[in-house]
Amino acid sequence: MPADPLHRAGTAQRSTTSQPPSGSGASAIEVRRSARRRRTVSAYREGDRTVVLIPARMSEAEEQRWVNVMLDKLAAQESKRALGDAELAERARRLSDQYFDGRARPASVRWVTNQNTRWGSCTPSEGSIRLSHRLQGMPEYVVDYVLVHELAHLLVPGHGPRFWELLEAYPRTERARGYLEGVVAAERLPHVPGARGESPAG
């Protein structure tokens, strides 16, 4: 994402740099607070770091929440090129090897456009896994979570304790579920237009 053209050196009141969550795609995160920025948050890559621009009035808790939101948005934008079915199947194979010792072996893995109320589905008797096209462009760890979820169903069809025990092997389960819950919640809210690369901050 290109740098915010409205941001100029000297406008930030405070800047902090920290290590990002695992897999965020950058080696460091720099948060720049600006008195001029009132209600929007934006982020962009700058070399090997991610710069997040926020209003100066934000609390530490709000800052952390928006850093996570913007990291997810950047990751989604950077993975817009959708995986093809063959790549999706290979990804499922790698995830099965990593988390289930290769025991979950789907016969087919593909994108479908007729699943608007479910992120993924699985038919264990056929060994088929289908992912909603709505996942295309979302962060990789979210797509991986849905794949792992459906792979687990090849081993345990229902949602009993054994199923959730299997799913715990994937370390980003809670974060991915939170992301998807946020998408569902956002779809129920009226759209608030903003500048490109910016999100309204309350």
Side-chain angles (χ1 to χ4, degrees):
M1 181 181 294
D4 182 348
L6 299 179
H7 180 73
R8 296 288 182 270
T11 62
Q13 282 191 347
R14 184 163 64 86
S15 176
T16 57
T17 302
S18 61
Q19 294 302 311
S22 175
S24 66
S27 61
I29 300 165
E30 181 178 346
V31 178
R32 297 177 184 169
R33 289 175 175 262
S34 172
R36 293 184 183 180
R37 188 173 287 269
R38 299 296 184 186
R39 295 178 59 83
T40 59
V41 176
S42 63
Y44 59 90
R45 304 294 193 200
E46 187 176 79
D48 63 350
R49 71 176 58 208
T50 300
V51 178
V52 182
L53 308 173
I54 65 174
R57 62 177 174 78
M58 271 195 181
S59 69
E60 294 296 327
E62 289 175 316
E63 173 183 317
Q64 187 56 54
R65 181 172 70 87
W66 278 101
V67 164
N68 289 334
V69 167
M70 299 311 291
L71 285 176
D72 281 341
K73 289 189 70 170
L74 282 174
Q77 290 166 358
E78 291 167 352
S79 62
K80 278 295 185 184
R81 185 184 71 83
L83 297 172
D85 287 349
E87 294 169 299
L88 201 61
E90 174 60 22
R91 196 178 194 92
R93 186 193 66 78
R94 291 200 309 268
L95 290 167
S96 176
D97 288 344
Q98 184 174 358
Y99 297 110
F100 304 131
D101 298 321
R103 291 180 294 123
R105 290 295 184 189
S108 66
V109 184
R110 60 192 175 90
W111 296 107
V112 293
T113 58
N114 61 350
Q115 286 188 169
N116 293 319
T117 59
R118 292 186 295 177
W119 299 112
S121 62
C122 171
T123 305
S125 62
E126 300 175 357
S128 61
I129 290 176
R130 298 163 297 279
L131 263 59
S132 171
H133 72 287
R134 297 170 64 213
L135 289 164
Q136 292 175 340
M138 289 190 186
E140 289 183 358
Y141 74 89
V142 177
V143 177
D144 285 353
Y145 163 72
V146 178
L147 277 173
V148 170
H149 184 110
E150 301 309 330
L151 286 167
H153 275 311
L154 292 180
L155 303 174
V156 180
H159 286 101
R162 176 61 182 149
F163 171 82
W164 295 112
E165 184 178 317
L166 283 175
L167 206 56
E168 285 177 2
Y170 183 63
R172 291 183 155 192
T173 288
E174 289 307 314
R175 187 177 179 200
R177 285 172 64 87
Y179 182 96
L180 292 173
E181 288 169 0
V183 170
V184 172
E187 288 175 348
R188 295 173 182 163
L189 298 174
H191 177 65
V192 180
R196 181 179 177 181
E198 294 194 340
S199 294

